[in-house]
Each structure stands twice: as C-alpha cells, then as structure tokens.
Amino acid sequence: MTGEREARMGLCALGSQGAPALARAVVEFGAVDVWEGLLRAGDTTRFSRLAASVDITAVTSATAACGARFVVPGDDEWPAALAGLEDVEVAGQAGVPFGLWLKGQPLASAGGVAVVGARACTGYGERAAAELSADLAVGGRPIISGLAYGIDAAAHRGALGVGGYTAAVVASGVDRPYPAGNATLAAAVSRGGTIISELPPGALPARGAFLARNRIIAALAEAVIVVEAALRSGAKNTASWGNAVGRRVLAVPGPITSSLSSTPHRLIRDGEATLVGGAEDVERELAPLGAAADGPTRGDRRPIDELAQELREVREAVAAGERVTAAELGRRTGQNTVTALALAAELVELGWLDGEGGVFALPSRPTPVRAERR
Amino acid sequence: MTGEREARMGLCALGSQGAPALARAVVEFGAVDVWEGLLRAGDTTRFSRLAASVDITAVTSATAACGARFVVPGDDEWPAALAGLEDVEVAGQAGVPFGLWLKGQPLASAGGVAVVGARACTGYGERAAAELSADLAVGGRPIISGLAYGIDAAAHRGALGVGGYTAAVVASGVDRPYPAGNATLAAAVSRGGTIISELPPGALPARGAFLARNRIIAALAEAVIVVEAALRSGAKNTASWGNAVGRRVLAVPGPITSSLSSTPHRLIRDGEATLVGGAEDVERELAPLGAAADGPTRGDRRPIDELAQELREVREAVAAGERVTAAELGRRTGQNTVTALALAAELVELGWLDGEGGVFALPSRPTPVRAERR
C-alpha cells in the first residue's frame, strides 16, 4: 500500500507533467489509486510502462542528496494558488502539479509577480526587466521566473540585487537547473530564494516540460508581466496561462521598431494584457500586498506579539502616517540597511507594513488580527 | 447688409477662435446676425470692440495677395467632418470654425489620419512618425498635422517623401505658417498638400490659438495618432479632441525608459487610445478607404466612365484578384512610378481601388455606382 506522498512522487517521476488525462484521473480517483492502478496495469499503456520504471526509493535518496525537499498539496509549504490550475487547459496541457521539489529558502510566492520574456532579449528589455523586478522586490513582492537566459535571468538578478526574494521554476531537476550557463545564477537563487520543479532530481529538460512549467509560473504569481517577446514565444504561452487561471496579465511596451515588442504590443492591443511602464503601474493593478487573496498566507497576519523580536522592532520603528526608507529603519533599529530591508519586506509579506519602491509605511487599512478573520 | 461669407470672414478675423460663447451664438443666430450685432454693439463688449477693428476688404485683399482662398460651410471644399465639432467642448474651447483659409492643393482630408506628438521628440519618435505617415500616405490616406517641430514635421515629411498628400493646420495666417524655422517644409506642404488656418493672413500665433487649432486637426481626421508626448503636451489635447468628437485615438508605444512615452502609454493604459505598432494596425482600426463615412466625398464613387482618362487607365490596369505595386502600375500604363502612385492613391480615395503599403487591388466589396447609393 503506497502513501499519498510516494504516489505523488511516482506520478511526478513519470515525466508526463501537463498531460490532461493524468491530471484529470488524479482529481477523480486520487493520487494513490491512480499510481497503484498504473503499477498494476503492467505493460498496457504508456503511463503504466513509465510507472514500472520509477524507483521511488532512488528518487527519495536523490532528493535528500541534493538538499531538496518534496512537497505535496496539504503541506505547509505547498502554494495554495496552484489550485487555480484545476480544470484549466492551455495548448493541450493542464493540471495541478502532483508535487513539487523545492531547493533553497522556504517558498514564499504569495503576492508574487512573474516576469517573463525572450531569451535573446535586447539591452532595453534586460534593463526594463531588472529594474521592474528590483522595484517590485524592494516593495516586498516575490519575483517568479523561469531561469532562462535573457529576460528571466534579468528578473531574478534584479530581485536578488536588492536583497529581494525570487523563485525560479525550472523544467529539469532542481539539482541541475537548465540552462547550465546560468548555474551561478541558479546557486544565487537557491541562496536568496527557491528553485522549484515538478520533475525529480536528475531530470533533464524535455521539450514539453518548458510549456508545462509555464503554467506553474503563471499560477504561482498574482500577475504575469511580459517584457520582451517575439511573436512565437514561451512568454506568450505563460501569458495565456495567466489569463486562463485568472491572473492579471501585464506587458511592458517597447520600441515599435523592435520585433521583440511584437508580443507585448499585440497582447495590449488585443486586450489580453494591460500596459505597465513601471512598478507603480504594477502595484496599481494588484491588490495591496498582504490583502486577503487566494493564498492562505495572504493577509493572515499573526497578532503583533507573535512576531519574532527583530520583526516586531522594525514594525514598531514605523510611526503612523510616516513613510520610512530601509536605511532609516536600519538606523532606528541598529541593523544594517540590508537586514532592515529584508525584515521590512517580510513585514510587508505578512501584511504588517505597506512597502513600495523601498519606502515603508503602516498599512492604510486597519490591521486585522487572526481572531477577526476566523 | 453683410453676406454670409463676409460675416464669417469677419468672425474669423476677431481672433477669438474656440470661444464657446461665440461659437454657440453663430449656431443659434447665424453668422450674419452675430456679425452685424457685434458691429452695432459698438464699444460694449470685447468681441464688439474687436469687430470694430476688422477691415474685411483688407482681409479679402490679403487672402488674394498670398494666393490663399477662404472657404465656409457649404462650399465644395469645406470639410463636412468639421460638423463633428458642434456642441463639443474640451478644455474650455469649442466650436466649428467659422471659415478656413486654404493655401495649396485642394483640401482632401477624407479618410485622413492625424499624426501628432512632441516638438522635442527623439530620433525614435521621429522615425516612427515618418515611417507610419509614409506607409499610410502610400496607402492613400491624407496625413494631417500641425507643422510644429518634431513629430508634426516628421509626419508631413513622411507623407511628402512618398508623394502622398498632407495637410498642415496652423495657428497663424497661412501666409506666415509658424514656426518660421519650418518655412521650407511649409512651402513643400503647400505644393504637395494644403496649409489650413482659421486665422486670417497676417495673423501671428497667439497662445490659445494652438489649442483651438488642435480641435481642427482632430476633427478633420478619421483617427488621431499620438507618437511621442510628455505628460503635459499639446498632443494630449489633440487626443482629447479626438475622443470628444468620436474619432479613433491611437498611440504608438515606446521605451518605458523615455519620458516621451508617458502620454502614449498612459492613453493606452487608461483605455483612451488603442496601441498601434504600424500602418497595418492603423488600417485595421479604420474603415477601409473609400467606405461610406461622415465625409460626403467618401465612397461616393462616380461610374467608371466618368473618371478622367488617366485615372481610368490605371484602374483598368488592375485585374481582379491581383495585388499590384505602383511601380508595376507605372509600367503597365506608361507613367512614371510617382505619377502612377498619385493616380492610384486618387483611385483609392475615390473608392475605385483598395491600397495598403503601396500595393493596390480591386476593392473587396462590390463597386457601387452612384445610382445605387441614392
């Protein structure tokens, strides 16, 4: 008798992520029944042949060996927002991931923004993606992307550069994030953020895996921002996922003389994306950080005396009605600026502060306590 | 007893264009009664003091002296589209012009596109405005702008450069188009197009005249395109006029790193303009050239045997189902390319050909004859 976690690990190890039939079967019959059914079916179907070759013990060992963890729905670290993927199909792919491998910091995608775009981007696009991501990360928003060259890498770097949080959803094992040329960046993401995959350690990227991966990027985020993308591009697929799962889809315009402006411009023109020119525009499109939304961690603030001492000190250093920089918070609490920024960003994430462009203030709405929300 | 034409000339010579009270009075009581009333009122009001100083004989002489003509509603050359300005007020200005001075080619604004933007534009904006205007002019669309430095000048030059038609609406007399630095361009416009003003010859530009002028640019055109404009700009006023009189308002995006992208981006974001990346996008937003619209000349095609011989030859050189360049039409009719282009553009204007991007074809809808339209 297999457990839920092992069944989901086995289903992930099939490498058939995004297959609508498999996702539907798991919704209908549960992961354990589907997995055991596949094992019993022997050599009869493609999925059952793949299942017979999966060694769950080996996958478990490989997970531990690379310092990753495997999470499934119901776990504390499971992002509730992924439930939005149920019953949604885009370009022949569908489904809530059966499980996720995580490597690095605790996953903190609530209120996050996906920044995606062309691999072969221009200097303009790289700068726009990095600055937008930095500004949003300073305001406390997680930056989610796909670790690809170009716009994805610029987004991760922008967030990391200001001490912000970033999550990279990859289409290979978390121990060998693709592309290998971004290995240094991947290491930095796993220190300052989280590497995420629905494929087991050791998995190499396969063609379909990139499109399947895009659905996770879109569903994890509150908004998907397309920076530069040619007419046919993965970013356009991520934008389609964003619209399909009800996320805000935003696009950064560029010169009409650049072919990499074609997807952002077409999305805007066709009403599939809203034009944004900077982080202020993005914030205007989104619920304030910490407001109640689909994720269970959003706005679910603990009473202030439940906060860690260092968090409480930063929160108490902000007076009503004033706007304070991270540097000033550092001076008031005796921390260095980077630490103060990190603590303030965490308070923004928890809903105890509002933050935008590196300036923090008490939330404009009254601070709810847990008891009021129950 | 003053005639209608003299009364309207007198009203124009007051220099109070755009004043809502005066415009309303002319609608209510007619130009003759308003003008005679002002003359009788002596020194009692600002308008009557201005009226007392107008010398209609001198204005008539000055009109003839500079080779201009004065047209009023009801004249063949009067653009019917200006009727859209009745009962519309934007930023404290309003009104159908009482009359217009025209200098150059016959006014042909039907199906036209206004291209407006910043005086201090960037090289990107200048290129975008010139290329867009050239592509639209090659397709047979009049390009309307304000002869200002920057985007306006690029729009006129773009149209003239491909042998297209362009109209410049100026905020001074047609004999001294402002700015003087664009005198060479103004001379070219009056050769290849038309200079238009609601102020008499000799008039110097006054501050309010620029905003009043914008309403004519917007009303003459079927669409207003904003290329580059800072947050506070005349182009934004022209866009407001476009929306107020029910024209399509379009905007060309640019790099988010440029402050001159702010007005186009804001117009798009706020739903006040549709993003366009090129002439194809503009054509998609507009009725096909020659389709019936508000102007009396649109789609009002004469039977083919009423066309001038040279026009008929070009039309008959295009076979059903084929797409022919101006160069090829030139070869087939023994004309040079520029002449063939001009004739083909005229056929597009008259509704006998479809034209886009310099390629011509028979109209996709059946060709109506005048009798069928009555």
Side-chain angles (χ1 to χ4, degrees):
Chain A
M1 178 72 195
T2 329
E4 174 83 8
R5 188 172 303 271
E6 291 69 34
R8 288 183 171 273
M9 188 178 271
L11 290 166
C12 284
L14 294 179
S16 300
Q17 278 73 7
L22 196 60
R24 186 99 292 272
V26 170
V27 170
E28 297 272 336
F29 306 110
V32 172
D33 282 7
V34 171
W35 179 247
E36 294 194 334
L38 288 176
L39 292 180
R40 276 197 305 273
D43 201 28
T44 57
T45 71
R46 186 169 70 86
F47 292 141
S48 65
R49 278 192 297 276
L50 288 166
S53 68
V54 171
D55 178 348
I56 290 183
T57 311
V59 176
T60 305
S61 309
T63 301
C66 72
R69 54 204 183 270
F70 180 66
V71 299
V72 298
D75 287 347
D76 279 352
E77 213 177 344
W78 182 261
L82 292 183
L85 288 169
E86 195 170 315
D87 292 323
V88 179
E89 187 170 326
V90 169
Q93 298 203 304
V96 179
F98 307 127
L100 291 175
W101 279 268
L102 306 176
K103 188 165 191 284
Q105 298 298 314
L107 179 56
S109 59
V113 172
V115 177
V116 297
R119 285 171 175 74
C121 69
T122 70
Y124 163 70
E126 192 163 302
R127 183 176 155 197
E131 289 186 0
L132 193 58
S133 300
D135 291 346
L136 290 166
V138 162
R141 295 209 177 264
I143 301 300
I144 303 159
S145 196
L147 201 75
Y149 292 125
I151 298 299
D152 284 21
H156 293 304
R157 286 197 186 98
L160 292 170
V162 294
Y165 173 88
T166 189
V169 187
V170 297
S172 55
V174 293
D175 59 333
R176 54 168 74 202
Y178 179 88
N182 275 344
T184 309
L185 176 61
V189 170
S190 68
R191 280 192 303 273
T194 317
I195 296 183
I196 304 169
S197 179
E198 57 176 335
L199 289 161
L204 297 171
R207 200 172 143 65
F210 290 101
L211 291 178
R213 176 274 304 270
N214 292 343
R215 81 193 196 289
I216 303 178
I217 292 179
L220 279 180
E222 203 169 303
V224 174
I225 310 181
V226 179
V227 177
E228 277 193 327
L231 264 194
R232 292 175 59 86
S233 72
K236 198 174 171 187
N237 173 257
T238 312
S240 298
W241 274 110
N243 277 317
V245 295
R247 304 298 182 252
R248 298 289 288 138
V249 178
L250 311 172
V252 173
I256 60 170
T257 42
S258 161
S259 64
L260 290 170
S261 298
S262 40
T263 283
H265 289 177
R266 185 167 289 201
L267 289 170
I268 294 165
R269 203 192 61 208
D270 294 351
E272 289 174 33
T274 300
L275 183 152
V276 289
E280 331 75 69
D281 287 353
V282 177
E283 291 294 350
R284 199 180 299 114
E285 295 294 322
L286 297 181
L289 252 179
D294 49 356
T297 62
R298 307 281 317 287
D300 208 353
R301 288 181 259 192
R302 292 171 293 172
I304 193 162
D305 52 356
E306 279 186 41
L307 291 178
Q309 170 75 18
E310 53 184 4
L311 285 171
R312 207 161 67 228
E313 283 176 2
V314 171
R315 158 74 191 210
E316 286 168 358
V318 183
E322 70 169 348
R323 292 163 49 78
V324 193
T325 63
E328 174 60 21
L329 284 178
R331 274 190 292 277
R332 293 185 187 180
T333 57
Q335 313 268 13
N336 67 45
T337 302
V338 172
T339 307
L341 177 62
L343 292 167
E346 189 172 347
L347 286 163
V348 168
E349 181 67 30
L350 294 168
W352 280 105
L353 288 180
D354 279 349
E356 194 180 330
V359 178
F360 300 88
L362 296 190
S364 46
R365 57 206 172 283
T367 304
V369 295
R370 185 177 284 249
E372 292 177 348
R373 298 183 52 87
R374 288 285 154 88
Chain B
M1 178 71 194
T2 330
E4 174 83 9
R5 186 171 304 271
E6 290 68 35
R8 288 183 170 272
M9 188 178 271
L11 290 166
C12 284
L14 294 179
S16 300
Q17 278 74 7
L22 197 59
R24 185 99 295 269
V26 171
V27 170
E28 297 272 334
F29 306 109
V32 172
D33 281 7
V34 171
W35 179 247
E36 293 193 334
L38 288 176
L39 291 180
R40 275 196 306 273
D43 202 27
T44 56
T45 71
R46 187 169 71 86
F47 292 142
S48 65
R49 276 193 297 277
L50 287 166
S53 69
V54 171
D55 179 347
I56 290 182
T57 311
V59 176
T60 306
S61 309
T63 302
C66 71
R69 55 206 182 268
F70 180 68
V71 299
V72 298
D75 286 347
D76 280 352
E77 213 176 345
W78 181 260
L82 292 183
L85 288 169
E86 196 171 315
D87 292 323
V88 179
E89 187 169 327
V90 169
Q93 300 203 302
V96 179
F98 307 127
L100 291 176
W101 279 267
L102 306 176
K103 187 164 192 284
Q105 299 298 316
L107 179 57
S109 58
V113 172
V115 177
V116 297
R119 287 172 174 74
C121 68
T122 69
Y124 162 71
E126 192 164 302
R127 182 175 156 198
E131 289 186 0
L132 194 58
S133 301
D135 290 347
L136 290 166
V138 162
R141 294 209 178 266
I143 301 300
I144 303 159
S145 195
L147 202 75
Y149 292 124
I151 298 299
D152 285 20
H156 293 302
R157 286 198 186 98
L160 292 170
V162 294
Y165 173 87
T166 189
V169 187
V170 297
S172 55
V174 293
D175 59 333
R176 53 169 73 201
Y178 179 89
N182 274 343
T184 309
L185 175 61
V189 170
S190 68
R191 280 192 303 274
T194 316
I195 296 183
I196 304 170
S197 179
E198 58 177 334
L199 289 162
L204 297 171
R207 199 171 144 64
F210 290 101
L211 290 178
R213 176 274 303 270
N214 292 343
R215 79 192 197 290
I216 303 178
I217 293 179
L220 279 180
E222 201 169 306
V224 174
I225 310 181
V226 179
V227 177
E228 275 192 327
L231 265 193
R232 293 175 57 86
S233 73
K236 199 174 170 188
N237 173 258
T238 311
S240 298
W241 273 110
N243 277 317
V245 295
R247 305 298 182 253
R248 298 289 289 140
V249 177
L250 311 172
V252 174
I256 59 170
T257 42
S258 161
S259 65
L260 290 170
S261 299
S262 40
T263 283
H265 289 177
R266 185 167 289 200
L267 290 170
I268 294 165
R269 204 193 61 208
D270 295 349
E272 288 173 33
T274 300
L275 183 153
V276 289
E280 329 77 70
D281 286 354
V282 177
E283 292 293 350
R284 200 179 299 114
E285 296 294 323
L286 297 181
L289 253 179
D294 48 357
T297 61
R298 309 281 316 287
D300 208 354
R301 287 181 262 197
R302 292 171 293 173
I304 193 162
D305 54 356
E306 279 185 41
L307 291 178
Q309 170 76 18
E310 52 184 2
L311 285 171
R312 208 160 67 229
E313 284 177 2
V314 171
R315 158 75 190 210
E316 286 168 356
V318 183
E322 70 169 349
R323 292 163 49 78
V324 194
T325 62
E328 174 61 19
L329 284 177
R331 275 191 292 276
R332 293 184 187 180
T333 58
Q335 313 269 9
N336 66 45
T337 303
V338 172
T339 307
L341 176 61
L343 292 167
E346 188 171 350
L347 286 163
V348 169
E349 181 66 31
L350 294 168
W352 281 106
L353 288 181
D354 279 350
E356 195 181 327
V359 179
F360 300 88
L362 297 189
S364 46
R365 51 201 179 286
T367 304
V369 295
R370 182 177 285 248
E372 291 176 347
R373 298 182 52 86
R374 289 287 157 88

